[in-house]
Structures are given as structure tokens and as C-alpha cells.
Amino acid sequence: MSMGAKKGRRLGSTRLVLLIPYLWLALFFLAPFLIVLKISLSQTAIAQPPYVPALDWVAGWAGLRDFVAALSTDNYALLGSDWLYLVSYLKSLQVAAVSTAILLMIGYPIAYGIARLPRRLQPILVMLVILPFWTSFLIRVYAWINILQRDGLLNDVLMRLRVVDQPVAWLSSDAAIYIGMVYSYLPFMVLPLYATLEKVDETLLEAAADLGCPRWKTFWLVTLPLSLPGLAAGALLCFIPITGEFVIPDLLGGSDSMMIGQTLWMEFFANKDWPVASAIAVALLGLLLVPMLFYERLQQRSLEGGR
Amino acid sequence: MGRKTSAFNVVSVALGLAFLYLPIVILVIYSFNGSRLVTVWGGWSLTWYRALLSDRAMIDAAWASLRIAALSASAATVLGTCAAIALTRMGRFRGRLLFSGMVYAPLVMPEVITGLSVLLLFVALDVDRGFWTISIAHTTLTLCFVTVIVQSRLISFDRSLEEAAMDLGCPPLKTFLTITLPLIAPAIAAGWMLAFSLSLDDLVIASFTTGPGATTLPIRIYSEVRLGVKPEINAVCTIMIAIVALGTVASSLLAKRGAMRRERAALSAQM
């Protein structure tokens, strides 16, 4: 059979395989972003839906012209001028950066340790790292409230050990946010790191040792550079969602300063200001666009590079 | 990597696992606490589980969550598997970059953005919000996880099996059903389970897309937790953890049995 004929038939029968998820994602993932963009340029109103202008399809071109004329960038001007929003953005970036750094410092030794333990143990250990990820995110954050609250276990233990003589307010602090972030995102850091560390060729390390290279130097010159793709993937997989995180700062953090996810939530649910909430979402997306594109490239390379 | 294991390696893995599991273990233990106060141990008791049985709102929420999770995980598995096949088997098609971008983006997209945007779509389309809108939003969120899992299986197995079948005149659809599908079945099952648990777990997107009468378990738990720790919540969480643990153990046992059967078949084929 000629290759052309075979290929033609395969394309015919598999076109639907591509088309169905393509249309689904275009309708429920891509189109919504365009709507967010549109609403971020609208004004809030006491109406249903609570924003103007509404696009008048019946009026045709005139309706479209009126619609475009009524759009404004006021919401973005508000984001730039009000300190509340700027502080939120900066706090989110700070929390994401510090959490990712802590995750790297904790996650790397764990991934490295798993990769160096006997091979038959490794699948079990990887499973043990993944397992908490399968239990509810909300439950895992909630578990820490039990521990961190004023009459919680941590204070109990610390006071019994006489480290502190009165309860420390762990909850509602930045420390609690960091604990929650590191705890929840640890599997996302460990797994990509392990995946690259596990593939490091043992003979390279032996060669370095044979040539008299001390162990720390072998790590620095051979292992670490070889694990960079996993390190980048893990860091991005943590940094990007942490920046927009809502549940963890809301349940564990204090009320004095909010992360951007909380600000968006508040504008939408408490203030019912959909246009401003949309503008925050667009601005957050803009902030994360570069790391996201970078992550997509890594993902594509790891899943499709082998071909 | 190396077999040379140092004490440092063992200690860091042990500490890491302890950090991951200790809070969950503490939560489970305290769900059996007879006392309402968190730090006071009032002896083992099933008080909070009994209280749960009469909590109509919580049971309704759990039932709604299970239905949404089953529906959206099934839809996401079909769509995600299709997407994985398209990405690994169709080479360079027009719009591939946009497609793969849309597939991988939800993996890292902050949930508040996904939730807000999909809600605004439903408002623009003037759809009644509730069970169906949450299910659609969850399908969109979880299908990318299915795609990644199935895709990594599709690129790792031996393509020559498919090619052999085709060369022997097997039509593509039959090749897919008899050769490819059984080979990727474990990945599809794992994808479904992950999609199911992600949907069961989601608070943010469900909060945006929910409507009157459609309260999911996380929404319910969240509204209770905001008011402080309640022993009943410990009990709900313990039940959810138990279900996940049982599911994971069962699926890994099944996978092991399947692998053993395959090995035995391969052995007998050699003889």
C-alpha cells in the first residue's frame, strides 16, 4: 500500500478526534478569555448582567459602533492608581517567589534522596509523594488550621517543650501562608525534579569520581546542570499557580494584606464589580504570560521531544 | 541514578514524607476525638460521624459533588484521550500550536481566572447556572490532566505493534481498538481517577459557576471552615481521605495484577 493512501485514510477517520476537543477548548477555554477582555473594558452597572455596555446584536453595525465607543480603559487606570491593587500584585509575586525558593530547597533533597535510594523502593516512594496530591487540596489546607490555631497542636507542643511560654499567633500570618503553600505544592516540585534526576547517567558520576572529583563538586558540575529542566519545570509548576492562589491565603493568611486572587474574589463576590474583577484577571494573566509560555515550551519538549 | 545511598538521602526523604503525612494523620486522629475542643483529647469516639449522618445539607452536597465528578471525569477522559491521540499521532496540523497551548494552559492557569472567565461565558450565553455549568467547567479543567497522562503513555509504548497490525491489513480503527486502546487503558483509567478527584476537590471554579441549589462538598466545607475548626469537618475529611486511599490501593493492585498477567502471557509465548 502506498504511504499516501494510508495517510489519507487515517486523516479522514481521525479528524473528529482532533475536532471535538479542539472545539470544546475553543468554546469553553479560549472564548471565555475574550469575554473577560471585553468585560474588563466595560463599566459596572446595576443591571442584569451587572455591566454596560451590552452588545446589541439586533442593531447590526450601528449597535457594534455604539458598543465599541462605550468601551473604556477606566478599570485599568483604577488598577494602576489605587494602591490596594498594586500592593496585592506585589504581595502575590513576593509570596510566589519566596515559596518557590523554599520549595526548591526542601524539594531538591527529597527528589535527590529518592533517586539515590535502591531502585525497587523508588516507585513506592514516588507513589507516597503523589498520594497526598490525590486527597483534597481543601482538606490539606484545613488540616493546618487544626495545627496552627492559637490553641492548636503546634503551640501545645512548643509550650510543653518550653520553647515559648505563651501561645504564638501562627494562624492569620504570612508564615502560615508559606507553610500552606510549601505543603500543598511540594509534590509539584519533587516529581519533575525526580523525573530528571532519575535519568542522570550513573557512569558520568563514576567517571567524575574516578578522576578524583570530590562529591560536592560532582554534584555542582554534573548532577545539578543535568537536572535543570526538571528544576525549571518544578519551579514554574509552583510559581504560576501560587501567584493566583486563593484558598491558602484566604484560610491561613491574615486580613491585613491580600494576594491578588483574594482581591479578584472580593471584587467579584463581595463588591459585585465584574468589570474590575475582569481587569484584575487580565492584568494577572499578563503578569504570568511569560512564565506560562516558558512552561508550555518545556512541557511540549518533554512530551513531544522524544519523537 | 546511583546506588550509593548516604544517611543524608535517607533522612531527607523520611523528613519529607513525615512533613507530607503528619498533618493528615493528625486530622484523622482528631476526627475520632470525643471532645469538641481541639487540644483536649476526650477519648476515642464516633460522635462526629454520627452527627454527620444527620447533617442533611452535607450529605446533599456530597451527593452533588459525586455526580458532578463522575460526569465531568468521564467527559474529560473522552475529550482528553482524543486530544492526546491528536497531539501524538497527527503530526503537524494547522492550528497545532494553538491547540497544544489550549491543552497545556489549564495545568498552570490560576483557578480564579479560569473560574471567572468560564462564568462570564455562561452569563453571556444566558445559561442557568448549577449542576451542568459546574460539570462543563470541571470537564474543561480536568481534560488537560487526562491528556498529559495518556500522551506520556502514547509516546512511550512500542509503535511497531501498531505498524505491524496495519501492515498486515488491519484497518486503522480496528488497530486502534485492538492494539492501541488496550495498551493505553491503564493511563486512561489513571486519567479518569485523577479527573474525578480533581473535580471532587475543586472549590474555586465551582464557586464561580455554581447556581442556586447546586452546592458541592468543597463549597459546603469551605463555608463551615471559614467559621473555624469544627469536629464534623474532620470527620468528613477523614471519610474523603479513606475513599481516596482505598481507590489508590485498589487501582495499584489491579495494575500489578494486569502487569503480572501480561508477563505470564509473554513467558508462555516464548516457550
Side-chain angles (χ1 to χ4, degrees):
Chain A
M1 201 196 310
S2 78
M3 278 305 285
K6 207 160 97 183
K7 207 160 193 175
R9 208 166 67 204
R10 275 188 64 187
L11 270 182
S13 63
T14 48
R15 186 158 295 160
L16 273 180
V17 166
L18 170 66
L19 218 56
I20 295 170
Y22 210 130
L23 288 178
W24 181 282
L25 286 169
L27 178 59
F28 294 115
F29 190 73
L30 193 61
F33 283 117
L34 301 177
I35 297 175
V36 169
L37 195 61
K38 184 211 113 182
I39 292 178
S40 75
L41 297 168
S42 309
Q43 298 298 313
T44 177
I46 303 169
Q48 195 55 253
Y51 51 84
V52 283
L55 185 51
D56 186 5
W57 292 106
V58 188
W61 280 112
L64 186 66
R65 203 181 50 227
D66 290 348
F67 169 75
V68 171
L71 292 178
S72 80
T73 53
D74 285 0
N75 296 316
Y76 293 98
L78 177 71
L79 291 194
S81 60
D82 193 328
W83 275 106
L84 173 78
Y85 303 109
L86 286 175
V87 168
S88 263
Y89 276 111
L90 290 177
K91 167 138 188 189
S92 296
L93 287 177
Q94 179 209 333
V95 168
V98 174
S99 304
T100 307
I102 301 174
L103 277 161
L104 262 177
M105 285 188 290
I106 296 179
Y108 204 103
I110 298 175
Y112 187 74
I114 295 177
R116 305 217 63 169
L117 281 166
R119 228 173 238 292
R120 71 197 149 74
L121 283 180
Q122 290 184 15
I124 302 169
L125 291 169
V126 169
M127 193 66 220
L128 282 174
V129 172
I130 297 175
L131 203 58
F133 171 70
W134 288 65
T135 65
S136 167
F137 193 78
L138 190 60
I139 292 178
R140 282 178 290 146
V141 177
Y142 168 73
W144 279 100
I145 303 181
N146 272 327
I147 298 170
L148 294 176
Q149 62 184 337
R150 187 167 275 276
D151 53 357
L153 265 156
L154 185 60
N155 276 332
D156 199 40
V157 170
L158 288 179
M159 274 159 70
R160 268 177 213 202
L161 294 174
R162 310 216 178 276
V163 180
V164 294
D165 36 300
Q166 52 190 359
V168 182
W170 295 104
L171 211 57
S172 308
S173 71
D174 281 4
I177 296 182
Y178 287 123
I179 291 173
M181 295 287 188
V182 170
Y183 182 69
S184 303
Y185 284 91
L186 193 57
F188 292 96
M189 182 60 91
V190 172
L191 293 177
L193 273 174
Y194 167 76
T196 49
L197 282 170
E198 176 235 13
K199 284 196 210 98
V200 170
D201 191 350
E202 207 179 321
T203 54
L204 289 175
L205 306 179
E206 278 167 15
D210 287 349
L211 295 170
C213 186
R215 271 174 79 171
W216 65 268
K217 210 170 171 185
T218 311
F219 174 80
W220 190 249
L221 291 176
V222 182
T223 313
L224 190 63
L226 284 174
S227 67
L228 276 180
L231 201 149
L236 289 168
L237 212 47
C238 294
F239 181 86
I240 301 169
I242 288 178
T243 308
E245 185 58 55
F246 165 76
V247 179
I248 296 172
D250 189 60
L251 288 180
L252 300 179
S255 49
D256 48 332
S257 68
M258 288 195 288
M259 285 179 65
I260 198 67
Q262 292 171 280
T263 310
L264 192 159
W265 185 280
M266 188 193 72
E267 290 293 353
F268 185 85
F269 285 105
N271 298 349
K272 303 254 183 291
D273 194 335
W274 294 17
V276 167
S278 301
I280 293 174
V282 172
L284 176 57
L285 202 57
L287 204 66
L288 294 176
L289 204 59
V290 173
M292 273 172 140
L293 288 175
F294 196 56
Y295 172 76
E296 298 244 320
R297 267 192 53 194
L298 274 176
Q299 184 76 13
Q300 258 163 344
R301 213 181 294 164
S302 76
L303 279 175
E304 292 159 25
R307 289 187 310 140
Chain B
M1 213 157 111
R3 237 118 295 239
K4 263 187 246 155
T5 313
S6 66
F8 174 73
N9 298 142
V10 178
V11 169
S12 52
V13 173
L15 280 180
L17 289 177
F19 175 60
L20 282 176
Y21 283 92
L22 212 54
I24 297 178
V25 171
I26 290 170
L27 176 83
V28 170
I29 292 174
Y30 271 86
S31 76
F32 294 105
N33 187 1
S35 156
R36 179 162 274 282
L37 295 166
V38 182
T39 36
V40 183
W41 181 252
W44 297 91
S45 123
L46 290 173
T47 318
W48 310 118
Y49 291 88
R50 240 175 274 131
L52 213 56
L53 279 178
S54 54
D55 190 342
R56 201 61 237 168
M58 193 67 88
I59 293 170
D60 287 347
W63 179 233
S65 273
L66 286 173
R67 272 164 46 221
I68 290 170
L71 178 66
S72 63
S74 306
T77 304
V78 174
L79 290 165
T81 306
C82 286
I85 292 168
L87 281 172
T88 44
R89 292 291 190 265
M90 294 183 69
R92 301 194 176 282
F93 50 84
R94 230 183 308 157
R96 187 190 168 100
L97 201 65
L98 177 67
F99 185 60
S100 66
M102 288 195 299
V103 169
Y104 299 136
L107 283 172
V108 285
M109 183 69 73
E111 285 179 320
V112 282
I113 298 182
T114 319
L116 176 71
S117 59
V118 75
L119 165 75
L120 294 177
L121 172 80
F122 290 138
V123 171
L125 296 176
D126 201 16
V127 193
D128 279 337
R129 274 167 275 150
F131 177 83
W132 288 102
T133 47
I134 301 179
S135 299
I136 289 174
H138 279 179
T139 303
T140 313
L141 169 76
T142 54
L143 83 85
C144 60
F145 288 87
V146 178
T147 305
V148 169
I149 292 178
V150 175
Q151 201 180 355
S152 55
R153 179 78 191 134
L154 273 171
I155 53 173
S156 68
F157 83 75
D158 194 355
R159 283 293 288 278
S160 59
L161 290 171
E162 281 178 342
E163 282 157 14
M166 305 264 261
D167 286 348
L168 293 171
C170 188
L173 186 64
K174 200 173 173 199
T175 308
F176 175 77
L177 290 177
T178 54
I179 308 285
T180 317
L181 202 57
L183 281 169
I184 60 173
I188 294 178
W192 188 90
M193 278 189 60
L194 183 58
F196 185 83
S197 72
L198 283 169
S199 164
L200 207 58
D201 177 30
D202 167 71
L203 166 73
V204 174
I205 292 172
S207 296
F208 276 103
T209 51
T210 189
T215 305
T216 64
L217 194 57
I219 296 178
R220 180 85 207 144
I221 293 177
Y222 174 73
S223 65
E224 299 259 334
V225 166
R226 290 212 69 176
L227 307 171
V229 173
K230 281 177 87 180
E232 289 100 325
I233 302 292
N234 286 344
V236 182
C237 294
T238 303
I239 293 172
M240 285 175 76
I241 292 168
I243 292 171
V244 169
L246 281 177
T248 317
V249 170
S251 69
S252 66
L253 282 179
L254 278 178
K256 206 171 227 171
R257 226 176 57 187
M260 266 164 71
R261 204 181 302 146
R262 269 200 300 280
E263 244 163 61
R264 222 174 292 146
L267 269 178
S268 57
Q270 277 169 7
M271 281 196 288

